[in-house]
Amino acid sequence: MNSAVLGEGVKGSPLQRYLGFGLFGGFLLAAAIYVASQLGHDLEVVPSSPALAYVLLGVALLIALGFEFVNGFHDTANAVATVIYTRALPASFAVVWSGGWNFIGVMVSTGAVAYTVLQLLPIALVLDVGSGTGFAMVFALLIAAIIWNLGTWYLGLPSSSSHTLIGSIIGVGLMNQLMSSGDATSAVDWSQAWNVGKSLLFSPLLGFALAYGLLVLLRALVKVPELYQEPKGEAPPPFWIRSLLILTCTGVSFFHGSNDGQKGMGLIMLILIGTVPGAYALNRAVTPSQTQTFIAVAHSASEVFARNSAGVAPATDPRAELERYINSHDLKPATIAALGQLTDAISGQVGRSTTLADVPQSAVNNVRNNMYLSSEALRVMSKAKQPAFSPSDQAVLDNYHKSLDNGTKFIPTWVKVAVAFALGLGTMVGWRRIVRTVGERIGKQHLTYAQGASAEVVAAVTIAAADSFGMPVSTTHVLSSGVAGAMVAQGSGLQWATVRSMLMAWVLTLPASIALAACLFWVFRHVF
């Protein structure tokens, strides 16, 4: 294999590096000022909190952004590996280019993936995120994910940050269940865990197969010899090939930002809700007219629940009944009645205020938890298609579900900006180890133009598809397995020592992160 790794032509000239880093540094400074000003503005509108709350807020935010920073080592570095090793772009420009498209991807993301990941957590922890147990949860799963990601990065293994985070969440949930035996709401939602696990389990296999098939098809249809040859020295590829490679790198970077960036957003929202609920428990951007519309929709939903629970005695504790249903998925007549009772309570609580921003501070947590529980119960019902509501009633409940999510499942713009720059900065600092592995150590021969393009097209399409369904997927696994598939398709061969190490990291990531997070959660439960 050609091992002229990261030579001057690949790294770029000193002027290019200084310009690239200077440009990113300027944007980073502007982002820091924007984030600080927006956070300060949000905190001004709520009553002063104890100093300890602000200390915990600052530490937790730094750790959450640290997770995204380390995520940049792993996942975003995969996006630039092919353009660097095919000489399509100098490394210094490639990482800035990738970081920019990650930023755009994060900014246009919907937040669906963020809250899909949070649905793995026991409902009791999500509802009580501001307690000592809630802080133990946040610190444990973030620190466990960072430790594992740093370890695999140091070894140059393309391990999945998504895989690690999911394992950490499951570890926290398991330990919480062990420490809260007898409490049904402390359990992990295993049906949701399996849904998320399927996307992480099958995406590498899909990446390998699709990249293999794409390259075979490309070789059959496009008879251009230089497309299937490794770069010659430090010379860049022909213009049209270079354009194709830059386009695929752009796609992977954009869709990586739109998917992976959301995981950090969800965790940051948990931190904000736990430390300063007055500012972030409810969406303060909801307008008075939207609030009035929500109240009207809630009244319509209440009528639907009343018709479908006629003759059923009201639940003694409607919140407890919904928590039981969300964890067990066992629908009882009392569940519909409880949902109706909670809907009436929400419309009454919100109806006394002009907007969600005007809900009294003493009631914010209660309103938010009622809305979150109702939303999750509706999600489970919709997925199970039980009870079988009439089409008109289902339309009303779907509208109500969206309104509930608009009030509680939101991502402030400054959170997106902070996550986007943490991802980009991580790429610029730690890209070399992972890029070397993807570019040199998967196949026995140097990466060709067609192999790099095939792997990145497959990665971009797979991540985009997962994003549209609100499911997390691993950029690392999809792209590195795509490179392996393209190598096999062209007969380049694989370096089995690297493949075995990658498979070992893939197999061990879940149990290792589960064990790390469980142990840390046990420790932090005795600290907070």
Side-chain angles (χ1 to χ4, degrees), residues 1 78 158 434 436-445 479-485 487 492-496 498-499 502:
M1 177 193 292
N78 287 276
I434 302 300
R436 279 193 176 99
T437 297
V438 174
E440 293 182 44
R441 297 170 184 166
I442 294 178
K444 291 183 178 179
Q445 299 176 16
L479 196 137
S480 56
S481 63
V483 169
M487 288 286 180
S492 302
L494 298 175
Q495 296 192 55
W496 286 107
T498 301
V499 173
M502 290 170 58

Side-chain angles (χ1 to χ4, degrees), residues 346-371:
I346 292 167
S347 60
Q349 292 165 325
V350 175
R352 289 190 286 271
S353 305
T354 305
T355 67
L356 289 182
D358 297 324
V359 172
Q361 296 296 312
S362 59
V364 163
N365 264 337
N366 189 44
V367 174
R368 184 252 175 188
N369 286 348
N370 285 345
M371 292 175 72

Side-chain angles (χ1 to χ4, degrees), residues 379-424:
R379 175 183 65 83
V380 175
M381 287 179 184
S382 176
K383 183 178 176 181
K385 294 183 170 51
Q386 289 294 330
F389 295 108
S390 68
S392 58
D393 283 353
Q394 188 62 58
V396 170
L397 296 184
D398 288 343
N399 194 17
Y400 179 48
H401 191 187
K402 291 177 183 176
S403 297
L404 288 168
D405 286 349
N406 185 48
T408 57
K409 298 179 180 180
F410 63 99
I411 310 287
T413 302
W414 72 261
V415 172
K416 294 184 176 184
V417 171
V419 167
F421 274 97
L423 270 175

Side-chain angles (χ1 to χ4, degrees), residues 127 282 317-320 322-323 326 339 341-347 349 363-377 400 404 408:
L127 295 179
L282 297 173
D317 187 344
R319 280 178 58 164
L322 291 188
E323 288 182 30
I326 293 167
L339 196 47
Q341 289 172 257
L342 221 55
T343 298
D344 290 338
I346 292 167
S347 60
Q349 292 165 325
V364 163
N365 264 337
N366 189 44
V367 174
R368 184 252 175 188
N369 286 348
N370 285 345
M371 292 175 72
Y372 188 87
L373 268 175
S374 299
S375 172
E376 287 300 285
Y400 179 48
L404 288 168
T408 57

Side-chain angles (χ1 to χ4, degrees), residues 122 124 133 172-188 521-522 525:
T133 303
V172 166
L174 284 173
M175 182 55 71
N176 182 65
Q177 189 172 358
L178 290 173
M179 298 178 74
S180 310
S181 57
D183 182 0
T185 65
S186 67
V188 175
F521 182 70
W522 184 87
R525 276 287 298 269

